[in-house]
Amino acid sequence: CKYGTFQRHYPMKTAVLYIALGRYEVFFEGFYKSAVKNLLPGHEKHFFVFTDSERIKSINNADITVIHQKKLGWPFDTLMRFEMFSKIKEKLEKFDLIYFFNSNIIFLEPVREEIIPDDSHGGLVAAIFFMKKPDEYTYDRNPKSRAYIPYGHGNVYYQGGLNGGKAGNYLEMISVIREWVNDDIKNISTAEWNDESY
């Protein structure tokens, strides 16, 4: 990840977005326990879990909100994540920070304020894939897609497993990507690597 610095160190309200559809429910317990312990220690965290799992729905923790989400099938379970997130926009507006993590992430060590971006990065943070030249990245090369990046352009490749940042900036990102994805679905030009490409 490319991190910024953040000047305010008082406890911040953090929304954690998580999708557990179908068999991915098996990852939630490990993710949740490790995040409670190691993700932004000292900051208030609330987990918004989009799931079809009856087991997860039965959890009665004050820091977990379960949103029923039916399984959409591949690739829509991942492609439509920003559509899912937009459904709880009003709840997310009450937080200082918002982060999405892939279902199979485990926090082995404390992740502190270094994950909070400053304004020089647009108030956002994401996982970056290194070790390749831009033309070797798996950018979407379809000029009809809203995720299109032509050869000879692009500096970094952002992975889909971690993204987040200041609530206002992240909600703006959700809105833009949601629009792009829906446009491409209508035009039958969906990006090859789904949400990650956008």
Side-chain angles (χ1 to χ4, degrees):
C1 296
K2 191 169 186 179
Y3 301 124
T5 57
F6 201 79
Q7 298 302 315
R8 296 183 296 171
H9 297 292
Y10 58 82
M12 303 182 78
K13 290 182 63 178
T14 302
V16 179
L17 305 176
Y18 188 88
I19 300 172
L21 295 173
R23 62 185 180 180
Y24 286 92
E25 71 174 346
V26 301
F27 294 114
F28 179 67
E29 184 177 357
F31 169 84
Y32 172 71
K33 288 181 177 179
S34 70
V36 167
K37 178 182 178 182
N38 286 327
L39 176 62
L40 290 170
H43 294 268
E44 179 184 342
K45 296 180 288 281
H46 192 88
F47 298 81
F48 292 91
V49 184
F50 298 80
T51 188
D52 59 349
S53 166
E54 293 303 321
R55 183 176 62 82
I56 295 176
K57 289 178 187 177
S58 69
I59 297 172
N60 189 22
N61 290 16
D63 63 346
I64 298 175
T65 296
V66 174
I67 299 100
H68 174 74
Q69 174 61 51
K70 69 177 182 178
K71 190 162 173 50
L72 302 173
W74 182 258
F76 297 100
D77 286 340
T78 184
L79 179 63
M80 301 307 291
R81 68 178 49 170
F82 297 104
E83 184 73 33
M84 296 176 200
F85 301 161
S86 70
K87 292 177 181 178
I88 60 166
K89 180 182 176 183
E90 289 183 4
K91 293 181 180 179
L92 295 177
E93 287 174 336
K94 298 175 183 177
F95 289 83
D96 301 307
L97 301 168
I98 304 170
Y99 292 95
F100 165 79
F101 297 96
N102 260 8
S103 60
N104 59 351
I105 285 179
I106 297 286
F107 299 94
L108 299 176
E109 297 179 0
V111 177
R112 303 184 190 280
E113 283 80 4
E114 66 269 14
I115 198 172
I116 302 174
D118 62 20
D119 291 329
S120 67
H121 296 102
L124 298 171
V125 64
I128 294 177
F129 186 78
F130 289 102
M131 299 171 54
K132 288 189 176 183
K133 297 177 182 177
D135 278 356
E136 296 174 341
Y137 288 133
T138 54
Y139 292 132
D140 200 86
R141 305 300 185 181
N142 177 3
K144 295 181 180 179
S145 173
R146 297 294 298 265
Y148 171 61
I149 296 179
Y151 286 102
H153 292 79
N155 296 310
V156 295
Y157 184 88
Y158 294 100
Q159 298 178 1
L162 156 62
N163 51 67
K166 295 181 180 180
N169 300 97
Y170 193 76
L171 289 169
E172 182 180 357
M173 187 190 84
I174 287 173
S175 178
V176 169
I177 294 178
R178 174 179 174 267
E179 178 185 330
W180 290 353
V181 168
N182 287 330
D183 283 351
D184 280 358
I185 289 173
K186 290 175 187 174
N187 296 322
I188 315 175
S189 54
T190 303
E192 181 179 5
W193 294 109
N194 310 310
D195 62 284
E196 185 169 273
S197 294
Y198 296 97

